[in-house]
Amino acid sequence: MTERAPASDRPGAAWDPARLPDLSGRMYLITGANAGLGYFASEQLARAGAHVVLSGRNPNRLAAAHDAIEARVPGASVETLLLDVSNPGSVRAAAASVRGGLFSRARLDGVLLNAGIVHTPRRRQLTRDGRELVFATNALGHFVLAAELLTTLAKSSSRNRSARMVWLGSVSTHLRTPDPTDIQLEGRYDAWRAYVQSKVVVHALGIEADARLRDADVPVQSVVAHPGYSIGGRTPRVQGVNEPSRWKRIRDGFQSPWSQSKERGAASLVRALVDPAVRGGEYWGPRFLTHGLPVRQRPSRVAADPDVRRRVWEECERLAGIEWPFARAARAAR
Ligand SMILES: NC(=O)c1ccc[n+]([C@@H]2O[C@H](COP(=O)([O-])OP(=O)(O)OC[C@H]3O[C@@H](n4cnc5c(N)ncnc54)[C@H](OP(=O)(O)O)[C@@H]3O)[C@@H](O)[C@H]2O)c1
């Protein structure tokens, strides 16, 4: 990655993914860090000097990602954390470890809410606690995790720099408005609808979170980012993390004009997480929509509809049985 984003894309903000600002002393938590975009975002943050907590649901896959970063980034500072985002108990336990200072740094500068089911099941499936699986993984689990970490993020903010949460959107969110009355697709389910609906909900939550954080005077920013169309067959081989077959490389190679590697796709997520020029409530993604260097983008329709956003938020509060601790986070930051 040697290109540099033209300064004209964002006044005064040339951005070179290969030359990130120095992130020494900062700590970031990444969900779904053992593979794909989450892995490459973690690697890029570690290369810039950040301490990175790699979270995932499988200890062996997490260990492989941890070892890969240590091998590829000399001096990297990484730890692992078991976290299944579809399981509220696991989310709460993992967040408690972060809050309890189990990790090398007693701060949290940002969380990348990345884990997700991309190849969604053909038939509607439920989690153990009865939530539709794709919604529970991509949206609701992260809604709970962000709430659980809000006070820690607020405490880590300083006068010059707010801590950040970044939600994973998708180009597909331009296609649909969520139906807050059927957020778990009980009425009509299909695999594509489940994916798009979950991502539109994520987009709504990311923008609504920022509005609520501003209202409550909490110095934490919420940003939505997407990686365009980033595919494994165009991504460098990393042992135990990304080992596509020859056939997948050939197949994905045919999609070169409108796709990019997951390593490049991760650049938009990393920029959204660390660039001081990014503001809360913004939407970031690749310049040519499916590929390219990270630039600020026009948000999807749902972002401009406060009523839908509010209803999505309230439905997530109801299903998760929580309210975000805005007042506590604002006090903690003072
Ligand atoms: N790739 C794209 O073009 C694209 C486009 C738009 C948006 N996105 C979004 O970007 C994110 C990452 O996508 P990707 O392409 O990197 O996918 P990926 O290669 O399939 O990686 C998904 C990651 O999420 C983890 N995950 C899935 N379910 C989980 C759970 N219940 N708990 C914890 N971790 C879980 C996976 O862990 P396991 O290994 O344990 O399954 C894996 O680490 C997703 O949110 C996706 O919707 C991707």
Side-chain angles (χ1 to χ4, degrees), residues 31-39 55-58 61 83-87 90 113-119 133 136-138 142 167-172 195 198-199 202 225-232 241-242 260 262 269 290:
T31 68
N34 61 282
L37 296 154
Y39 170 81
S55 77
R57 59 182 163 171
N58 178 294
R61 291 198 286 270
L83 196 178
D84 179 341
V85 282
S86 70
N87 176 341
S90 169
L113 305 168
N114 160 80
I117 305 180
V118 178
H119 303 290
L133 179 66
T137 307
N138 296 4
H142 286 130
W167 306 71
L168 253 290
S170 158
V171 173
S172 65
Y195 182 72
S198 75
K199 288 289 147 182
V202 164
H226 78 92
Y229 182 45
S230 303
I231 52 181
V241 172
N242 186 58
Q260 62 185 353
K262 297 208 183 195
L269 320 184
T290 57

Side-chain angles (χ1 to χ4, degrees), residues 58 68 82 94 110 120 127 146 159 188 208 262 320 323:
N58 178 294
L82 264 183
T120 47
T127 59
R159 194 181 289 268
R188 190 175 137 213
E208 183 66 12
K262 297 208 183 195
E323 285 184 8

Side-chain angles (χ1 to χ4, degrees), residues 16 24 33 67 112 117 126 131 162 169 172 180-181 191 215 220 240 258 273 319:
D16 181 351
S24 321
D67 292 353
L112 181 60
I117 305 180
L126 300 182
R131 306 291 174 228
S162 293
S172 65
T181 63
D215 283 354
V220 174
W258 58 85
L273 198 60
L319 291 168

